[in-house]
Amino acid sequence: MAVPGDPPNGTPDGMGGGDDELRADEYRSVVFDEDFVRAARIQEYSAQERMGEHARAVRSRSIWSGGGSASGTGTPGRGARQGMLLVLLIACAFAAAVYMGLRNPYVPPPGGTASALGSTVVPLAPATAVPGGRPADLYASSPAADYRVGAAGITLPAARRTDHFTEGEVVAALSIAKDYLVQSSLDPDILSGSASRPVRVLLDPDQLAQFDRSMSSPSGDGRHAATGWLVRFDPGTAVMADSRVRVNGTLDFAEVTPDALEVITDHTFVYAVRPATGAPAAADGASLFTVRRELRLRFDREDLTARRAELLTAYVMAGPQDCSQDPAAAFRPVLAGAGPTTVGPAASDPYASGRPRLSAGLCGVLAQPSPPAATQVSPGP
């Protein structure tokens, strides 16, 4: 009997079928019938599936495809997520900076050009012979007897906020004004005429050209008097006999625009001087020289930040001086023992409080102030 796998016409002659029959018997149990073969599904694996878990030969450079993802499915990996987070943080920081800039109420306005200084320097001629003596005795017998020494005589008023400036900004303006007074009226190098930089660094840059010209080519034109910016003695005429300058005066402030503060200073400075020529003068050869300075300084917010000032006006009376000498370059005191010189049209007391009244180009008379009243001591029991 024929079995599946036998030739249709039987086994050819001469060929043994014993072995074949044995093998057929061995595989007969695993032969699939026709219905099983038809029902079978043939599945062919793709190249990626045949690679199994092997790494991809080429990785995507896009952070959105996952970068270093091993599966290559497009899911973002750890590096991609960190990159996206960094971009998000930078965007948030930029948005916050823009928002704070728009909301900040103290954004400085565009800076303008500082005004030129207008100065008036009036010499005061002595009406009598200039008294001489020791500096301590001269101070004790003058109205400066109760004045404080040096910077201690420049006291600041109580500060308060204004409509557009904080209390801290007002304090800053007052302190800069005091620094200007100290440097321009008390610095020994300024007084001797050997330096000007300590004053220059406190000025608005727009005024530096005018200041430099005033120092190099001073004139009494109301714009370029060196003595409008600072106190300076002619080194060939007089030098300081006592470094302890007596000072008294006031400061006041006001908001003039929403972007500017002004500080008004009104101080009297009393110096003990002696002749500069030859050998040192005798101990009792000193005399007093008085300078009354009224300054108006302006500050915008840029000035307050940079600690500098715009000096708008300076009104100065100084004596005893000879009215025939131009005081624009430096002060030339009339020293102890010298008599009256050219007499001006009106007497003026530099120790008196209140606004000075003399005009530019005039020569005043140094009024003889009354010495301080002696303190009466009641007798003991």
Side-chain angles (χ1 to χ4, degrees), residues 209-345:
Q210 182 187 11
F211 177 83
D212 292 341
R213 179 179 170 185
S214 300
M215 297 300 108
S216 61
S217 302
S219 66
D221 60 358
R223 288 287 185 269
H224 301 97
T227 48
W229 300 94
L230 47 80
V231 176
R232 182 164 72 178
F233 294 106
D234 176 15
T237 302
V239 295
M240 295 292 295
D242 186 354
S243 61
R244 295 168 295 177
V245 181
R246 301 310 196 264
V247 185
N248 186 55
T250 61
L251 288 92
D252 199 5
F253 66 92
E255 178 183 311
V256 292
T257 72
D259 301 317
L261 282 171
E262 281 190 1
V263 175
I264 305 296
T265 75
D266 186 0
H267 289 80
T268 299
F269 300 86
V270 185
Y271 305 88
V273 297
R274 62 175 177 80
T277 57
D284 59 352
S287 60
L288 297 184
F289 187 85
T290 305
V291 179
R292 172 84 175 272
R293 303 183 77 198
E294 182 182 301
L295 309 180
R296 183 162 62 97
L297 303 101
R298 178 171 293 182
F299 304 87
D300 57 27
R301 290 188 173 85
E302 187 177 357
D303 293 327
L304 296 177
T305 301
R307 292 197 62 81
R308 67 194 186 202
E310 303 172 28
L311 183 57
L312 300 183
T313 61
Y315 190 98
V316 181
M317 296 189 303
Q321 292 188 91
D322 188 340
C323 287
S324 62
Q325 301 287 337
D326 185 2
F331 297 130
R332 298 175 177 85
V334 175
L335 299 170
T341 59
T342 304
V343 178

Side-chain angles (χ1 to χ4, degrees), residues 170-236:
V170 172
V171 171
L174 291 170
S175 65
I176 298 170
K178 179 175 180 176
D179 288 345
Y180 187 88
L181 286 172
V182 170
Q183 296 299 330
S184 63
S185 308
L186 301 175
D187 187 299
D189 292 333
I190 296 293
L191 298 178
S192 66
S194 62
S196 61
R197 178 172 172 77
V199 175
R200 190 180 192 275
V201 297
L202 292 173
L203 292 172
D204 188 282
D206 292 333
Q207 293 188 313
L208 295 183
Q210 182 187 11
F211 177 83
D212 292 341
R213 179 179 170 185
S214 300
M215 297 300 108
S216 61
S217 302
S219 66
D221 60 358
R223 288 287 185 269
H224 301 97
T227 48
W229 300 94
L230 47 80
V231 176
R232 182 164 72 178
F233 294 106
D234 176 15

Side-chain angles (χ1 to χ4, degrees), residues 11 47 114 117 122 124 128 130 140 145 150 157 213 217 238 244 265 268 291 358 364:
T11 302
L117 167 66
V122 178
L124 300 178
T128 61
V130 177
R213 179 179 170 185
S217 302
R244 295 168 295 177
T265 75
T268 299
V291 179
L358 295 181

Side-chain angles (χ1 to χ4, degrees), residues 32-39:
F32 304 106
D33 58 18
E34 185 177 355
D35 293 336
F36 180 84
V37 172
R38 289 179 177 178

Side-chain angles (χ1 to χ4, degrees), residues 66-124:
S69 175
S71 62
T73 58
T75 302
R78 181 178 180 181
R81 289 193 296 269
Q82 290 178 345
M84 289 186 287
L85 180 60
L86 179 60
V87 172
L88 181 60
L89 289 176
I90 293 174
C92 291
F94 180 76
V98 172
Y99 176 78
M100 293 301 293
L102 294 176
R103 296 284 294 175
N104 185 4
Y106 296 108
V107 175
T113 301
S115 301
L117 167 66
S119 59
T120 301
V121 182
V122 178
L124 300 178

